[in-house]
Short mmCIF file of all heavy atoms in Angstrom, two decimals:
data_model
loop_
_atom_site.label_atom_id
_atom_site.label_comp_id
_atom_site.label_asym_id
_atom_site.label_seq_id
_atom_site.Cartn_x
_atom_site.Cartn_y
_atom_site.Cartn_z
N ARG A 133 155.17 91.49 -28.12
CA ARG A 133 155.24 92.43 -29.22
C ARG A 133 154.02 92.28 -30.12
O ARG A 133 153.64 91.17 -30.47
CB ARG A 133 156.51 92.21 -30.05
CG ARG A 133 157.74 92.46 -29.22
CD ARG A 133 159.01 92.39 -30.01
NE ARG A 133 160.13 92.49 -29.09
CZ ARG A 133 161.40 92.42 -29.44
NH1 ARG A 133 161.71 92.26 -30.71
NH2 ARG A 133 162.34 92.52 -28.54
N GLN A 138 154.55 85.00 -37.65
CA GLN A 138 154.95 84.17 -38.79
C GLN A 138 156.02 83.21 -38.30
O GLN A 138 156.20 83.07 -37.10
CB GLN A 138 155.42 85.03 -39.97
CG GLN A 138 156.54 85.98 -39.60
CD GLN A 138 156.93 86.90 -40.74
OE1 GLN A 138 157.70 86.52 -41.59
NE2 GLN A 138 156.38 88.10 -40.75
N LYS A 139 156.73 82.56 -39.21
CA LYS A 139 157.71 81.59 -38.77
C LYS A 139 158.75 82.23 -37.84
O LYS A 139 159.38 83.22 -38.20
CB LYS A 139 158.41 80.98 -39.97
CG LYS A 139 159.33 79.84 -39.58
CD LYS A 139 160.03 79.21 -40.75
CE LYS A 139 160.89 78.07 -40.24
NZ LYS A 139 161.73 77.52 -41.29
N ARG A 141 158.29 83.86 -35.27
CA ARG A 141 157.88 85.15 -34.73
C ARG A 141 156.58 85.00 -33.96
O ARG A 141 155.59 84.54 -34.50
CB ARG A 141 157.70 86.15 -35.86
CG ARG A 141 157.22 87.48 -35.37
CD ARG A 141 157.29 88.53 -36.40
NE ARG A 141 158.62 88.58 -37.00
CZ ARG A 141 159.03 89.57 -37.77
NH1 ARG A 141 158.23 90.58 -38.01
NH2 ARG A 141 160.23 89.55 -38.28
N TYR A 142 156.61 85.37 -32.71
CA TYR A 142 155.45 85.20 -31.85
C TYR A 142 155.12 86.52 -31.18
O TYR A 142 155.93 87.44 -31.16
CB TYR A 142 155.75 84.13 -30.79
CG TYR A 142 156.21 82.83 -31.41
CD1 TYR A 142 157.56 82.51 -31.50
CD2 TYR A 142 155.27 81.95 -31.96
CE1 TYR A 142 157.97 81.34 -32.10
CE2 TYR A 142 155.68 80.78 -32.55
CZ TYR A 142 157.04 80.47 -32.62
OH TYR A 142 157.44 79.31 -33.22
N PHE A 145 156.91 85.77 -26.34
CA PHE A 145 158.05 84.87 -26.43
C PHE A 145 159.05 85.19 -25.32
O PHE A 145 159.00 86.26 -24.70
CB PHE A 145 158.72 84.96 -27.81
CG PHE A 145 159.27 86.31 -28.16
CD1 PHE A 145 160.61 86.62 -27.96
CD2 PHE A 145 158.45 87.27 -28.72
CE1 PHE A 145 161.12 87.87 -28.29
CE2 PHE A 145 158.95 88.53 -29.07
CZ PHE A 145 160.29 88.83 -28.85
N ARG A 295 172.46 95.89 -36.51
CA ARG A 295 171.43 95.82 -35.48
C ARG A 295 170.71 97.14 -35.31
O ARG A 295 171.30 98.18 -35.20
CB ARG A 295 171.98 95.32 -34.14
CG ARG A 295 172.55 93.91 -34.24
CD ARG A 295 172.77 93.27 -32.90
NE ARG A 295 171.57 93.24 -32.10
CZ ARG A 295 170.57 92.40 -32.29
NH1 ARG A 295 170.61 91.56 -33.27
NH2 ARG A 295 169.51 92.43 -31.50
N GLY A 296 169.42 97.03 -35.33
CA GLY A 296 168.59 98.23 -35.36
C GLY A 296 168.61 99.07 -34.11
O GLY A 296 168.60 100.29 -34.19
N SER A 316 167.74 85.72 -36.56
CA SER A 316 168.76 85.57 -35.53
C SER A 316 168.16 84.97 -34.27
O SER A 316 167.01 85.24 -33.91
CB SER A 316 169.40 86.92 -35.23
OG SER A 316 168.45 87.81 -34.69
N ILE A 317 168.94 84.12 -33.61
CA ILE A 317 168.46 83.46 -32.40
C ILE A 317 169.10 84.06 -31.16
O ILE A 317 168.89 83.58 -30.06
CB ILE A 317 168.71 81.94 -32.46
CG1 ILE A 317 170.19 81.63 -32.70
CG2 ILE A 317 167.88 81.31 -33.56
CD1 ILE A 317 170.49 80.14 -32.71
N GLY A 318 169.89 85.11 -31.36
CA GLY A 318 170.47 85.82 -30.23
C GLY A 318 171.08 87.11 -30.72
O GLY A 318 171.45 87.24 -31.88
N ARG A 346 162.88 80.67 -30.74
CA ARG A 346 163.53 80.37 -32.02
C ARG A 346 164.56 79.26 -31.86
O ARG A 346 164.71 78.41 -32.74
CB ARG A 346 164.22 81.62 -32.57
CG ARG A 346 163.23 82.58 -33.17
CD ARG A 346 163.91 83.73 -33.86
NE ARG A 346 162.91 84.59 -34.45
CZ ARG A 346 163.19 85.73 -35.06
NH1 ARG A 346 164.45 86.14 -35.13
NH2 ARG A 346 162.23 86.46 -35.58
N PHE A 407 147.82 49.58 -18.91
CA PHE A 407 149.03 49.49 -19.74
C PHE A 407 149.11 50.64 -20.73
O PHE A 407 150.16 51.25 -20.93
CB PHE A 407 149.04 48.17 -20.52
CG PHE A 407 149.72 47.04 -19.80
CD1 PHE A 407 149.04 45.87 -19.50
CD2 PHE A 407 151.06 47.15 -19.43
CE1 PHE A 407 149.68 44.83 -18.83
CE2 PHE A 407 151.70 46.11 -18.78
CZ PHE A 407 151.00 44.95 -18.47
N GLY A 422 148.56 42.57 -6.37
CA GLY A 422 147.22 42.09 -6.11
C GLY A 422 147.22 41.27 -4.82
O GLY A 422 148.19 41.32 -4.05
N GLU A 425 150.30 39.02 -4.23
CA GLU A 425 151.53 39.73 -3.89
C GLU A 425 151.47 40.29 -2.47
O GLU A 425 152.49 40.30 -1.76
CB GLU A 425 151.79 40.87 -4.89
CG GLU A 425 152.28 40.40 -6.26
CD GLU A 425 151.16 39.93 -7.18
OE1 GLU A 425 149.98 40.08 -6.78
OE2 GLU A 425 151.45 39.41 -8.25
N LYS A 434 157.33 45.10 -13.96
CA LYS A 434 157.50 44.84 -15.39
C LYS A 434 158.16 46.02 -16.08
O LYS A 434 157.75 47.17 -15.90
CB LYS A 434 156.13 44.56 -16.03
CG LYS A 434 156.23 44.27 -17.52
CD LYS A 434 155.01 43.50 -17.99
CE LYS A 434 155.16 43.16 -19.48
NZ LYS A 434 154.13 42.24 -19.94
N GLN A 441 159.70 40.72 -16.80
CA GLN A 441 158.92 40.86 -15.58
C GLN A 441 159.53 40.00 -14.49
O GLN A 441 159.98 38.88 -14.73
CB GLN A 441 157.50 40.39 -15.89
CG GLN A 441 156.56 40.46 -14.73
CD GLN A 441 155.13 40.19 -15.17
OE1 GLN A 441 154.66 40.74 -16.16
NE2 GLN A 441 154.44 39.34 -14.44
P G B 1 147.46 97.66 -38.96
OP1 G B 1 148.05 98.29 -37.79
OP2 G B 1 146.04 97.91 -39.28
"O5'" G B 1 148.29 98.11 -40.25
"C5'" G B 1 148.14 99.40 -40.83
"C4'" G B 1 149.21 99.58 -41.85
"O4'" G B 1 150.51 99.31 -41.25
"C3'" G B 1 149.15 98.61 -43.03
"O3'" G B 1 148.23 99.01 -44.02
"C2'" G B 1 150.60 98.62 -43.52
"O2'" G B 1 150.86 99.76 -44.28
"C1'" G B 1 151.37 98.70 -42.19
N9 G B 1 151.74 97.36 -41.70
C8 G B 1 151.31 96.77 -40.55
N7 G B 1 151.81 95.57 -40.38
C5 G B 1 152.63 95.37 -41.48
C6 G B 1 153.44 94.27 -41.85
O6 G B 1 153.60 93.21 -41.24
N1 G B 1 154.10 94.49 -43.06
C2 G B 1 153.99 95.62 -43.80
N2 G B 1 154.70 95.65 -44.93
N3 G B 1 153.23 96.67 -43.48
C4 G B 1 152.59 96.47 -42.32
P G B 3 147.31 95.09 -49.66
OP1 G B 3 146.46 95.51 -50.80
OP2 G B 3 146.69 94.80 -48.35
"O5'" G B 3 148.14 93.81 -50.10
"C5'" G B 3 148.72 93.75 -51.40
"C4'" G B 3 149.62 92.55 -51.51
"O4'" G B 3 150.55 92.53 -50.40
"C3'" G B 3 148.95 91.20 -51.43
"O3'" G B 3 148.31 90.80 -52.63
"C2'" G B 3 150.12 90.29 -51.07
"O2'" G B 3 150.94 90.05 -52.19
"C1'" G B 3 150.88 91.19 -50.08
N9 G B 3 150.45 90.91 -48.70
C8 G B 3 149.64 91.66 -47.89
N7 G B 3 149.44 91.13 -46.71
C5 G B 3 150.16 89.95 -46.75
C6 G B 3 150.34 88.93 -45.76
O6 G B 3 149.87 88.87 -44.63
N1 G B 3 151.16 87.90 -46.22
C2 G B 3 151.72 87.85 -47.48
N2 G B 3 152.48 86.77 -47.74
N3 G B 3 151.58 88.79 -48.40
C4 G B 3 150.79 89.79 -47.97
P G B 27 145.58 54.54 -33.79
OP1 G B 27 146.66 53.92 -33.01
OP2 G B 27 144.48 53.71 -34.33
"O5'" G B 27 144.93 55.72 -32.94
"C5'" G B 27 145.74 56.63 -32.21
"C4'" G B 27 144.91 57.74 -31.63
"O4'" G B 27 144.18 58.40 -32.69
"C3'" G B 27 143.81 57.30 -30.66
"O3'" G B 27 144.32 57.10 -29.35
"C2'" G B 27 142.85 58.47 -30.73
"O2'" G B 27 143.31 59.58 -29.98
"C1'" G B 27 142.91 58.82 -32.22
N9 G B 27 141.87 58.11 -32.98
C8 G B 27 142.02 57.06 -33.83
N7 G B 27 140.89 56.64 -34.36
C5 G B 27 139.94 57.48 -33.81
C6 G B 27 138.53 57.52 -34.00
O6 G B 27 137.83 56.81 -34.70
N1 G B 27 137.94 58.53 -33.23
C2 G B 27 138.61 59.38 -32.41
N2 G B 27 137.87 60.28 -31.76
N3 G B 27 139.93 59.37 -32.22
C4 G B 27 140.52 58.40 -32.95
P U B 28 143.67 55.97 -28.43
OP1 U B 28 144.45 55.95 -27.17
OP2 U B 28 143.48 54.74 -29.21
"O5'" U B 28 142.23 56.58 -28.13
"C5'" U B 28 142.09 57.78 -27.38
"C4'" U B 28 140.64 58.13 -27.22
"O4'" U B 28 140.07 58.40 -28.54
"C3'" U B 28 139.75 57.02 -26.68
"O3'" U B 28 139.82 56.95 -25.26
"C2'" U B 28 138.37 57.43 -27.18
"O2'" U B 28 137.84 58.47 -26.41
"C1'" U B 28 138.72 57.98 -28.57
N1 U B 28 138.56 56.97 -29.64
C2 U B 28 137.27 56.67 -30.08
O2 U B 28 136.28 57.19 -29.61
N3 U B 28 137.20 55.75 -31.09
C4 U B 28 138.25 55.10 -31.69
O4 U B 28 138.03 54.29 -32.59
C5 U B 28 139.55 55.45 -31.18
C6 U B 28 139.65 56.34 -30.21
P G B 31 133.82 46.81 -22.28
OP1 G B 31 133.19 46.32 -21.03
OP2 G B 31 135.21 47.31 -22.26
"O5'" G B 31 133.72 45.66 -23.38
"C5'" G B 31 132.54 44.90 -23.51
"C4'" G B 31 132.57 44.08 -24.78
"O4'" G B 31 132.85 44.92 -25.91
"C3'" G B 31 133.66 43.02 -24.87
"O3'" G B 31 133.38 41.88 -24.10
"C2'" G B 31 133.65 42.73 -26.37
"O2'" G B 31 132.54 41.94 -26.73
"C1'" G B 31 133.47 44.15 -26.93
N9 G B 31 134.75 44.74 -27.30
C8 G B 31 135.45 45.72 -26.64
N7 G B 31 136.57 46.02 -27.24
C5 G B 31 136.61 45.21 -28.36
C6 G B 31 137.58 45.08 -29.39
O6 G B 31 138.63 45.71 -29.53
N1 G B 31 137.22 44.12 -30.33
C2 G B 31 136.07 43.37 -30.28
N2 G B 31 135.89 42.50 -31.27
N3 G B 31 135.16 43.48 -29.33
C4 G B 31 135.50 44.41 -28.41
P G B 35 141.12 39.39 -13.50
OP1 G B 35 141.33 38.51 -12.33
OP2 G B 35 141.07 40.86 -13.39
"O5'" G B 35 142.22 38.99 -14.60
"C5'" G B 35 142.79 39.97 -15.43
"C4'" G B 35 144.29 39.89 -15.34
"O4'" G B 35 144.69 40.34 -14.02
"C3'" G B 35 144.81 38.48 -15.52
"O3'" G B 35 145.94 38.54 -16.37
"C2'" G B 35 145.27 38.07 -14.13
"O2'" G B 35 146.42 37.25 -14.14
"C1'" G B 35 145.65 39.42 -13.52
N9 G B 35 145.61 39.42 -12.07
C8 G B 35 144.55 39.23 -11.25
N7 G B 35 144.86 39.28 -9.99
C5 G B 35 146.21 39.52 -9.97
C6 G B 35 147.11 39.68 -8.89
O6 G B 35 146.86 39.63 -7.70
N1 G B 35 148.41 39.91 -9.33
C2 G B 35 148.79 39.99 -10.63
N2 G B 35 150.08 40.22 -10.85
N3 G B 35 147.98 39.86 -11.66
C4 G B 35 146.71 39.62 -11.25
P U B 36 145.79 38.04 -17.89
OP1 U B 36 144.39 38.27 -18.29
OP2 U B 36 146.39 36.69 -17.95
"O5'" U B 36 146.70 39.02 -18.72
"C5'" U B 36 146.27 40.35 -19.01
"C4'" U B 36 147.46 41.15 -19.47
"O4'" U B 36 148.23 41.55 -18.31
"C3'" U B 36 148.39 40.37 -20.38
"O3'" U B 36 148.92 41.23 -21.36
"C2'" U B 36 149.50 39.93 -19.43
"O2'" U B 36 150.74 39.76 -20.07
"C1'" U B 36 149.56 41.11 -18.47
N1 U B 36 150.09 40.76 -17.13
C2 U B 36 151.39 41.09 -16.86
O2 U B 36 152.11 41.63 -17.67
N3 U B 36 151.81 40.77 -15.60
C4 U B 36 151.09 40.17 -14.62
O4 U B 36 151.61 39.95 -13.53
C5 U B 36 149.73 39.85 -14.98
C6 U B 36 149.29 40.16 -16.20
P G B 37 148.31 41.27 -22.82
OP1 G B 37 146.87 40.99 -22.80
OP2 G B 37 149.21 40.44 -23.63
"O5'" G B 37 148.51 42.79 -23.24
"C5'" G B 37 147.52 43.76 -22.94
"C4'" G B 37 148.00 45.12 -23.35
"O4'" G B 37 149.02 45.58 -22.44
"C3'" G B 37 148.67 45.15 -24.71
"O3'" G B 37 147.69 45.33 -25.70
"C2'" G B 37 149.57 46.37 -24.61
"O2'" G B 37 148.86 47.56 -24.81
"C1'" G B 37 150.00 46.32 -23.14
N9 G B 37 151.29 45.69 -22.90
C8 G B 37 151.52 44.42 -22.49
N7 G B 37 152.78 44.17 -22.29
C5 G B 37 153.41 45.36 -22.58
C6 G B 37 154.78 45.71 -22.54
O6 G B 37 155.74 45.00 -22.21
N1 G B 37 154.99 47.03 -22.94
C2 G B 37 154.01 47.89 -23.31
N2 G B 37 154.40 49.11 -23.66
N3 G B 37 152.73 47.60 -23.35
C4 G B 37 152.51 46.31 -22.97
P G B 38 147.94 44.77 -27.16
OP1 G B 38 146.66 44.88 -27.84
OP2 G B 38 148.67 43.50 -27.10
"O5'" G B 38 148.94 45.85 -27.77
"C5'" G B 38 148.60 47.23 -27.91
"C4'" G B 38 149.79 47.93 -28.47
"O4'" G B 38 150.87 47.79 -27.54
"C3'" G B 38 150.24 47.31 -29.79
"O3'" G B 38 150.46 48.31 -30.78
"C2'" G B 38 151.54 46.59 -29.45
"O2'" G B 38 152.52 46.71 -30.47
"C1'" G B 38 152.02 47.31 -28.18
N9 G B 38 152.69 46.33 -27.34
C8 G B 38 152.24 45.10 -26.96
N7 G B 38 153.08 44.44 -26.24
C5 G B 38 154.17 45.28 -26.14
C6 G B 38 155.40 45.09 -25.49
O6 G B 38 155.80 44.11 -24.84
N1 G B 38 156.23 46.20 -25.63
C2 G B 38 155.90 47.33 -26.32
N2 G B 38 156.83 48.29 -26.34
N3 G B 38 154.76 47.52 -26.94
C4 G B 38 153.95 46.45 -26.81
P U B 69 144.76 83.74 -35.44
OP1 U B 69 145.37 83.44 -34.12
OP2 U B 69 144.96 85.06 -36.07
"O5'" U B 69 145.23 82.63 -36.48
"C5'" U B 69 145.14 81.26 -36.16
"C4'" U B 69 145.53 80.42 -37.34
"O4'" U B 69 144.66 80.73 -38.46
"C3'" U B 69 146.93 80.70 -37.88
"O3'" U B 69 147.91 80.00 -37.14
"C2'" U B 69 146.82 80.22 -39.33
"O2'" U B 69 146.89 78.80 -39.39
"C1'" U B 69 145.38 80.63 -39.67
N1 U B 69 145.29 81.92 -40.38
C2 U B 69 145.55 81.94 -41.74
O2 U B 69 145.86 80.96 -42.36
N3 U B 69 145.43 83.17 -42.34
C4 U B 69 145.08 84.37 -41.73
O4 U B 69 145.01 85.39 -42.40
C5 U B 69 144.84 84.27 -40.33
C6 U B 69 144.95 83.08 -39.71
P C B 71 154.46 80.30 -39.85
OP1 C B 71 155.61 79.41 -39.58
OP2 C B 71 154.09 81.37 -38.91
"O5'" C B 71 154.64 80.95 -41.30
"C5'" C B 71 155.19 80.20 -42.36
"C4'" C B 71 155.04 80.92 -43.68
"O4'" C B 71 153.68 81.34 -43.88
"C3'" C B 71 155.82 82.21 -43.85
"O3'" C B 71 157.19 81.99 -44.09
"C2'" C B 71 155.12 82.81 -45.06
"O2'" C B 71 155.52 82.16 -46.25
"C1'" C B 71 153.66 82.45 -44.77
N1 C B 71 152.92 83.57 -44.16
C2 C B 71 152.50 84.61 -44.99
O2 C B 71 152.77 84.55 -46.20
N3 C B 71 151.81 85.65 -44.48
C4 C B 71 151.54 85.69 -43.18
N4 C B 71 150.87 86.73 -42.71
C5 C B 71 151.97 84.65 -42.28
C6 C B 71 152.65 83.62 -42.82
P U B 72 158.25 83.14 -43.70
OP1 U B 72 159.58 82.54 -43.86
OP2 U B 72 157.85 83.76 -42.43
"O5'" U B 72 158.02 84.21 -44.87
"C5'" U B 72 158.42 83.91 -46.19
"C4'" U B 72 158.13 85.09 -47.09
"O4'" U B 72 156.70 85.33 -47.14
"C3'" U B 72 158.69 86.44 -46.63
"O3'" U B 72 160.07 86.57 -46.95
"C2'" U B 72 157.81 87.41 -47.41
"O2'" U B 72 158.21 87.50 -48.75
"C1'" U B 72 156.45 86.72 -47.34
N1 U B 72 155.63 87.22 -46.22
C2 U B 72 154.97 88.41 -46.42
O2 U B 72 155.04 89.05 -47.45
N3 U B 72 154.22 88.85 -45.35
C4 U B 72 154.07 88.22 -44.14
O4 U B 72 153.36 88.74 -43.28
C5 U B 72 154.79 86.99 -44.01
C6 U B 72 155.53 86.53 -45.04
P C B 73 160.97 87.51 -46.04
OP1 C B 73 162.35 87.40 -46.56
OP2 C B 73 160.69 87.25 -44.62
"O5'" C B 73 160.42 88.97 -46.39
"C5'" C B 73 160.62 89.54 -47.68
"C4'" C B 73 159.92 90.87 -47.79
"O4'" C B 73 158.50 90.71 -47.53
"C3'" C B 73 160.34 91.93 -46.78
"O3'" C B 73 161.56 92.55 -47.14
"C2'" C B 73 159.16 92.88 -46.82
"O2'" C B 73 159.23 93.74 -47.93
"C1'" C B 73 157.99 91.92 -47.00
N1 C B 73 157.30 91.64 -45.72
C2 C B 73 156.40 92.60 -45.23
O2 C B 73 156.22 93.62 -45.89
N3 C B 73 155.77 92.37 -44.06
C4 C B 73 155.99 91.25 -43.37
N4 C B 73 155.34 91.07 -42.23
C5 C B 73 156.91 90.27 -43.85
C6 C B 73 157.54 90.50 -45.00
P C B 74 162.59 92.95 -45.98
OP1 C B 74 163.73 93.62 -46.65
OP2 C B 74 162.84 91.79 -45.11
"O5'" C B 74 161.79 94.03 -45.15
"C5'" C B 74 161.63 95.36 -45.64
"C4'" C B 74 160.81 96.18 -44.66
"O4'" C B 74 159.53 95.52 -44.47
"C3'" C B 74 161.38 96.27 -43.25
"O3'" C B 74 162.36 97.28 -43.13
"C2'" C B 74 160.13 96.56 -42.43
"O2'" C B 74 159.77 97.93 -42.52
"C1'" C B 74 159.07 95.73 -43.15
N1 C B 74 158.87 94.41 -42.49
C2 C B 74 157.97 94.33 -41.45
O2 C B 74 157.35 95.35 -41.09
N3 C B 74 157.77 93.14 -40.83
C4 C B 74 158.46 92.06 -41.22
N4 C B 74 158.23 90.91 -40.60
C5 C B 74 159.39 92.12 -42.30
C6 C B 74 159.57 93.31 -42.90
P C B 75 163.82 96.94 -42.58
OP1 C B 75 164.62 98.17 -42.61
OP2 C B 75 164.31 95.73 -43.28
"O5'" C B 75 163.54 96.55 -41.07
"C5'" C B 75 163.20 97.57 -40.13
"C4'" C B 75 162.49 96.97 -38.95
"O4'" C B 75 161.47 96.06 -39.43
"C3'" C B 75 163.33 96.09 -38.03
"O3'" C B 75 164.11 96.84 -37.13
"C2'" C B 75 162.25 95.27 -37.35
"O2'" C B 75 161.59 96.03 -36.37
"C1'" C B 75 161.29 95.02 -38.50
N1 C B 75 161.57 93.72 -39.16
C2 C B 75 160.95 92.59 -38.63
O2 C B 75 160.19 92.72 -37.65
N3 C B 75 161.19 91.38 -39.20
C4 C B 75 162.01 91.28 -40.24
N4 C B 75 162.20 90.07 -40.76
C5 C B 75 162.67 92.41 -40.79
C6 C B 75 162.43 93.61 -40.22
P C B 76 165.45 96.22 -36.53
OP1 C B 76 165.86 97.09 -35.43
OP2 C B 76 166.37 95.94 -37.65
"O5'" C B 76 164.97 94.84 -35.94
"C5'" C B 76 165.13 94.55 -34.57
"C4'" C B 76 164.10 93.55 -34.14
"O4'" C B 76 163.40 93.06 -35.29
"C3'" C B 76 164.66 92.28 -33.50
"O3'" C B 76 164.88 92.47 -32.12
"C2'" C B 76 163.55 91.27 -33.76
"O2'" C B 76 162.52 91.42 -32.84
"C1'" C B 76 163.05 91.72 -35.14
N1 C B 76 163.63 90.94 -36.26
C2 C B 76 163.30 89.59 -36.39
O2 C B 76 162.53 89.08 -35.57
N3 C B 76 163.82 88.88 -37.41
C4 C B 76 164.63 89.47 -38.29
N4 C B 76 165.12 88.74 -39.28
C5 C B 76 165.00 90.84 -38.18
C6 C B 76 164.48 91.53 -37.16
P A B 77 166.19 91.77 -31.43
OP1 A B 77 166.41 92.51 -30.21
OP2 A B 77 167.24 91.66 -32.44
"O5'" A B 77 165.76 90.27 -31.07
"C5'" A B 77 166.40 89.63 -30.00
"C4'" A B 77 166.20 88.15 -30.10
"O4'" A B 77 164.80 87.83 -29.87
"C3'" A B 77 166.59 87.59 -31.46
"O3'" A B 77 167.31 86.41 -31.37
"C2'" A B 77 165.25 87.35 -32.13
"O2'" A B 77 165.26 86.22 -32.97
"C1'" A B 77 164.30 87.11 -30.96
N9 A B 77 162.97 87.64 -31.27
C8 A B 77 162.62 88.94 -31.46
N7 A B 77 161.35 89.11 -31.72
C5 A B 77 160.82 87.84 -31.71
C6 A B 77 159.53 87.35 -31.93
N6 A B 77 158.49 88.13 -32.20
N1 A B 77 159.32 86.01 -31.85
C2 A B 77 160.38 85.23 -31.56
N3 A B 77 161.65 85.58 -31.34
C4 A B 77 161.81 86.91 -31.43
#
Side-chain angles (χ1 to χ4, degrees):
Chain A
R133 297 186 187 178
Q138 55 184 277
K139 187 180 181 187
R141 177 169 308 193
Y142 306 97
F145 61 96
R295 299 195 56 75
S316 64
I317 56 177
R346 283 187 178 176
F407 269 121
E425 286 82 6
K434 180 158 183 171
Q441 180 171 313

